[in-house]
Amino acid sequence: MRIGNLAGRLVLVAEDRALDVAGASAGRFDPDPAAVYGVWDDFAAWAATVDVAGHPEAVAFAPADLGAPSPRPPQVIGVGLNYADHAAESGLPLPEVPVVFTKFPSSVAGPDVDVLLPGDTVDWEAELVVVIGRGGRDIPRAEVRSRIAGYTVGQDLSERTVQWQGTPAQFSMGKSYQNFAPTGPVLVTLDEFADPDRLAVSTTITAADGTRTRVQDGSTDQLIFDVTDLVARLSQTLELLPGDLVFTGTPPGVGMGMDPKRYLRDGETLTTEIEGIGTIVQRFHA
Ligand code: ZN
């Protein structure tokens, strides 16, 4: 199943067609996409009975009208240094436990947005994002999959100067500017993937003159702490709530790791793709 947020309404998506959930369910489910995660198991059971592509109320839609699949997550959890090569390019040792920070929820945005650069050291981090369904505390590893709604694509945009300010550094502020947590284009349930633990992740920068440079090219099978491990461990401390987002970390190829360092500039566009989910795009302005 693929679901989206089409102009603020929950839809089921099949290729280029969208079906309004509130309409197709005769009001059983709320049109607000944020409301679905609290009734995820009921919703998933209903959605499994719906033929979206063949439904008479399914309509063509413009991808630019999609918003964040979970637009008001109670918590947005980030995991740092979760790929060995990215830890190396950051000049930091491999973590022995997940390195956890927050992106404040007001930074969440949809898949196609403009971003104002708050400084001249804004960096990209392509990430698989887990969206929590039923959630809970102390989730056993064997039950993690049933507590997840699905996966989406995210960018953990980071103002590096602010991220590393202070002693010890405080990651969360530099990662929480407006639109610094873009997500989408849709949420995909785990049954849709041949192998949900092996998905290609890439980032491409398009310069103002149209030149394209692929800067990140990784696979989620290289995660140090995989999705099952992360969700189980997080739930030992936090109650994971319906609609929460977990940014799982970024593969190598960020600007901070380049020599010389290279950051996002006015007029550039960032395109992030994850296999089996889709692409998100941000345009940057000074
Ligand atoms: Zn990150």
Side-chain angles (χ1 to χ4, degrees):
M1 181 205 336
R2 302 167 79 82
I3 68 163
N5 170 355
L6 185 59
R9 292 182 69 91
L10 179 67
V11 291
L12 284 164
V13 175
E15 312 228 332
D16 64 342
R17 301 181 80 74
L19 177 66
D20 188 84
V21 168
S25 70
R28 179 171 164 195
F29 298 103
D30 196 288
D32 180 358
V36 75
Y37 301 102
V39 292
W40 184 260
D41 294 347
D42 279 351
F43 169 75
W46 169 80
T49 68
V50 179
D51 170 22
V52 180
H55 199 288
E57 291 169 24
V59 294
F61 70 97
D65 291 336
L66 291 170
S70 178
R72 296 190 302 282
Q75 306 178 98
V76 182
I77 297 147
V79 179
L81 307 173
N82 202 15
Y83 289 77
D85 292 352
H86 174 60
E89 73 177 349
S90 303
L92 294 164
L94 288 187
E96 290 171 11
V97 296
V99 176
V100 177
F101 55 88
T102 188
K103 289 174 81 71
F104 290 98
S106 58
S107 62
V108 171
D112 187 313
V113 290
D114 290 84
V115 180
L116 201 58
L117 290 166
D120 56 8
T121 54
V122 174
D123 205 346
W124 56 87
E125 295 191 357
E127 306 202 5
L128 176 72
V129 175
V130 178
V131 184
I132 301 297
R134 182 151 41 103
R137 287 190 190 272
D138 297 318
I139 301 171
R141 276 157 212 274
E143 283 186 33
V144 163
R145 206 167 151 152
S146 70
R147 310 296 182 92
I148 291 172
Y151 289 164
T152 192
V153 182
Q155 260 292 338
D156 175 17
L157 294 171
S158 305
E159 215 298 325
R160 297 298 190 199
T161 305
V162 176
Q163 178 185 345
W164 294 104
Q165 256 170 5
T167 308
Q170 43 178 349
F171 277 25
S172 298
M173 293 302 280
K175 290 169 172 281
S176 293
Y177 287 92
Q178 186 173 19
N179 292 352
F180 264 39
T183 54
V186 292
L187 175 148
V188 181
T189 51
L190 271 55
D191 59 292
E192 296 271 330
F193 300 100
D195 181 354
D197 291 317
R198 185 192 299 266
L199 304 174
V201 180
S202 69
T203 304
T204 301
I205 297 173
T206 306
D209 69 1
T211 311
R212 291 170 65 83
T213 310
R214 195 168 169 111
V215 287
Q216 289 191 286
D217 218 344
S219 169
T220 61
D221 66 355
Q222 298 299 308
L223 285 169
I224 297 170
F225 302 101
D226 67 17
V227 169
T228 300
D229 202 12
L230 281 178
V231 170
R233 285 174 185 255
L234 287 167
S235 77
Q236 289 165 11
T237 302
L238 311 172
E239 180 178 2
L240 291 173
L241 301 169
D244 278 355
L245 304 180
V246 182
F247 281 68
T248 57
T250 198
V254 301
M256 179 180 68
M258 294 180 175
D259 185 17
K261 297 180 194 308
R262 190 260 190 249
Y263 296 111
L264 290 161
R265 295 186 282 257
D266 182 43
E268 290 185 329
T269 299
L270 197 62
T271 304
T272 308
E273 180 169 12
I274 297 183
E275 178 184 6
I277 306 174
T279 58
I280 62 172
V281 176
Q282 299 85 48
R283 294 165 296 278
F284 293 87
H285 306 283

